[in-house]
Amino acid sequence: MWNDLVTCLKLEPVALEPPPDHGHCAYLGSNQHLPYHRVFGGQILGQLLLAARATFPDKSVKSMHTVFPREGRSDTPIRYEVTTAHEGRSFAGATVTARQDPHVVAAAVVSMHVPEDGRDRQTVPAPGACPGAAHDVEMSLVPWQTRAVVDLDSTAAGPPDYELWMRTPAVDPDLGAALTAYATDLTLIGTALRPEEGLSHTGNGTRFRSAVTSHTLWFHRAVRSDDWQLLRQHSPILAHGRTFGRGDILTADGRLVASFAQEALIRLPN
């Protein structure tokens, strides 16, 4: 599964006809081989990010806001179409559309930046020590090490908070941000469900229905996915059939490298 995911993150340039102007290009991405017909949203997040990176190779992704108007089909490659809104020496902006004709499965507004020198300060609580191997957890969509003290599969009510430690196998540093983006789509719905007695994220499709509608990422510093990272998450609200959650990503020594937020549709039993 790890090799399958890394292969999906190798986008192929698409030759456009007529030849595009400077502001348009496209890439083709394959899908993971998963035991259901839908494309996992985290895969799309990673591929959207890499399409932007390929278009602006001298810049890093600063932020990415993505909407998911419909689910993707796993049997059809996804075409990523990039339209440049602005490209300067320090910043660039673009829209990236993920398409399986005739449908759009995701669309992102991406902001790029050339990292600059400057003051360096943060004010978030430092993480505790990474839990030991006794706290290893298995997640069906995650082909790397994950650890947590809280059992997200539990149906007992708890606070809408969750901390997940993760570390991928050694990988090209250029894939660090994409793999981290992949992981941020995994557990925010489960975090939002923790206060609901008798429910957990494992009940999607049987006890309730849920689907991510939008997802935003901000990258503050360079990300290495093959060092231990903490995804510290909190969901402040569930209302009107929607959940909202947000999180920070910190290194083991406490550096804040990224933040994320997500809204999802959720239909619970009456």
Side-chain angles (χ1 to χ4, degrees):
M1 186 176 176
W2 167 251
N3 292 333
D4 183 36
L5 174 57
V6 172
T7 298
C8 290
L9 297 179
K10 296 176 181 177
L11 303 183
E12 296 295 331
V14 174
L16 300 183
E17 294 184 3
D21 60 31
H22 180 65
H24 300 272
C25 55
Y27 306 89
L28 198 65
S30 60
N31 299 317
Q32 293 172 276
H33 295 88
L34 300 176
Y36 52 85
H37 69 279
R38 293 181 299 167
V39 177
F40 174 52
Q43 174 205 300
I44 296 176
L45 290 172
Q47 291 175 327
L48 286 164
L49 186 149
L50 290 170
R53 282 284 307 276
T55 305
F56 307 101
D58 62 330
K59 296 177 175 65
S60 299
V61 172
K62 176 175 70 71
S63 64
M64 184 172 76
H65 178 70
T66 305
V67 294
F68 295 93
R70 64 187 301 125
E71 67 181 34
R73 308 184 309 276
S74 60
D75 61 353
T76 305
I78 300 176
R79 177 187 174 104
Y80 293 88
E81 301 171 352
V82 183
T83 302
T84 300
H86 165 74
E87 183 177 7
R89 286 177 294 181
S90 296
F91 291 90
T95 58
V96 187
T97 303
R99 188 184 301 277
Q100 289 179 321
D101 287 335
H103 302 299
V104 172
V105 297
V109 177
V110 186
S111 180
M112 314 288 292
H113 183 220
V114 176
E116 303 179 19
D117 293 331
R119 296 188 182 183
D120 195 322
R121 171 175 48 84
Q122 67 178 58
T123 55
V124 296
C130 178
H135 294 283
D136 283 352
V137 295
E138 288 191 10
M139 295 187 174
S140 60
L141 290 170
V142 185
W144 56 70
Q145 286 182 287
T146 51
R147 293 178 182 175
V149 174
V150 170
D151 180 9
L152 201 63
D153 294 348
S154 171
T155 58
D161 302 292
Y162 185 62
E163 292 193 346
L164 177 69
W165 288 88
M166 69 174 202
R167 180 175 63 179
T168 71
V171 70
D172 185 336
D174 285 343
L175 293 181
L179 289 164
T180 298
Y182 176 98
T184 62
D185 193 42
L186 290 164
T187 50
L188 273 173
I189 293 175
T191 301
L193 285 173
R194 289 200 66 218
E196 304 297 317
E197 184 72 37
L199 293 177
S200 80
H201 68 115
T202 60
N204 186 20
T206 55
R207 301 292 308 282
F208 62 89
R209 293 185 61 191
S210 68
V212 174
T213 55
S214 64
H215 193 101
T216 302
L217 288 146
W218 298 266
F219 291 95
H220 315 304
R221 297 178 170 121
V223 176
R224 285 294 302 256
S225 65
D226 49 9
D227 290 331
W228 282 110
Q229 297 184 108
L230 170 65
L231 279 65
R232 178 189 283 159
Q233 303 173 154
H234 171 70
S235 176
I237 188 168
L238 185 160
H240 298 292
R242 303 190 306 271
T243 68
F244 173 76
R246 54 197 173 207
D248 288 330
I249 302 172
L250 298 105
T251 62
D253 60 0
R255 300 178 73 248
L256 178 65
V257 295
S259 301
F260 59 101
Q262 183 183 89
E263 183 192 67
L265 164 75
I266 188 157
R267 291 177 177 152
L268 300 175
N270 294 328

